[in-house]
């Protein structure tokens, strides 16, 4: 099965549409949560994913938009954006977000936003945490988001190798278990201001990371019109 894996879209319709225009023909679209939050177009992004029949999992910003207590641990800008999102989203958007599970198993992969042991919140940002996540996955491989950083952990003879894939990087699993992060579509944080995503071929056992430029000024103008926090507007230009 050929799959486009999208994470942390964060209500950035401009970035999502640029990515969808670049996606070759795939069998399915999987998302890894944080579909909303930060960005200006939560309803439109969810509508797109619904049209595509995308399947995926709930992120901390999605939970916050649904009224969860997650919002209490957000910084001031994330909190303001989440409060706006709560009041802005349509009932159909809320219903779709509510239907997203915390974990989803598909084609031998466990999909989570954060980590297998804490699907909503834990950041996999170090080898020890990645090693714990690999143990929790059992025989499965994993896909995660949340950090907004493209990364691959590959289990090789009991060792865990870490890779930071760039645009066009391709990984052949060769029967090894992997834990992969496609990066963020709507708010990249690796210093490269283009949408990050991944093509997964579950039959061939390969993943290819991609970056797609989007019209940052359009997103920034929409955020400014909605009085979303200035720092969130500015950071898009730097990919941080
Ligand atoms: Zn996120």
């Amino acid at each position: 099965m050929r799959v486009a894996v999208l994470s942390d879209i964060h209500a950035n319709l401009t970035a999502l549409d640029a990515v969808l225009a670049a996606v070759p023909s795939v069998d399915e679209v999987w998302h890894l949560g944080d579909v909303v939050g930060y960005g200006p177009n939560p309803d439109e992004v969810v509508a797109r994913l619904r049209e595509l029949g995308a399947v995926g999992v709930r992120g901390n910003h999605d939970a916050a938009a649904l009224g969860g207590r997650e919002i209490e641990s957000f910084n001031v800008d994330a909190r303001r954006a989440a409060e706006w999102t709560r009041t802005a989203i349509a009932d159909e958007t809320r219903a779709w977000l509510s239907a997203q599970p915390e974990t989803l198993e598909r084609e031998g992969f466990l999909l989570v936003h954060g980590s297998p042991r804490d699907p909503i919140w834990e950041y996999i940002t170090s080898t020890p945490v990645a090693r714990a996540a690999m143990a929790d996955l059992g025989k499965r491989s994993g896909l995660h988001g949340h950090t907004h950083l493209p990364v691959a952990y590959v289990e090789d003879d009991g060792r865990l190798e870490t890779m930071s894939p760039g645009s066009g990087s391709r990984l052949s699993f060769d029967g090894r278990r992997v834990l992969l992060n496609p990066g963020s579509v709507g708010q990249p944080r690796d210093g490269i201001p283009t949408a990050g995503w991944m093509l997964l071929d579950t039959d061939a056992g390969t993943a290819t990371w991609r970056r797609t430029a989007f019209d940052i000024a359009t997103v920034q103008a929409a955020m400014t019109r909605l009085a979303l926090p200035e720092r969130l507007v500015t950071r898009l230009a730097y990919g941080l």
Side-chain angles (χ1 to χ4, degrees), residues 8 10 34 38 60-61 113 146 148 189:
D8 296 275
H10 280 294
D34 279 8
Y38 295 138
N60 53 316
H61 284 262
H113 181 63
H146 198 31
H148 297 210
R189 289 183 191 160

Side-chain angles (χ1 to χ4, degrees), residues 40-61:
N41 299 113
D43 285 340
E44 294 86 346
V45 163
V46 166
R48 243 354 148 259
L49 294 181
R50 288 176 62 190
E51 285 160 25
L52 291 165
V55 296
V57 291
R58 186 186 304 190
N60 53 316
H61 284 262

Side-chain angles (χ1 to χ4, degrees), residues 24 42 60 85 87 89 109 111 114 119 122 132 141-142 145 150 159 178 180 182 190 203 206 210 212 235:
N60 53 316
T85 303
T87 55
I89 55 174
F109 282 85
L111 282 65
E122 187 174 41
S141 281
R159 292 201 330 274
V178 295
L180 312 174
D190 58 355
D203 300 317
T206 59
R210 298 279 300 270
T212 303
R235 72 189 296 180

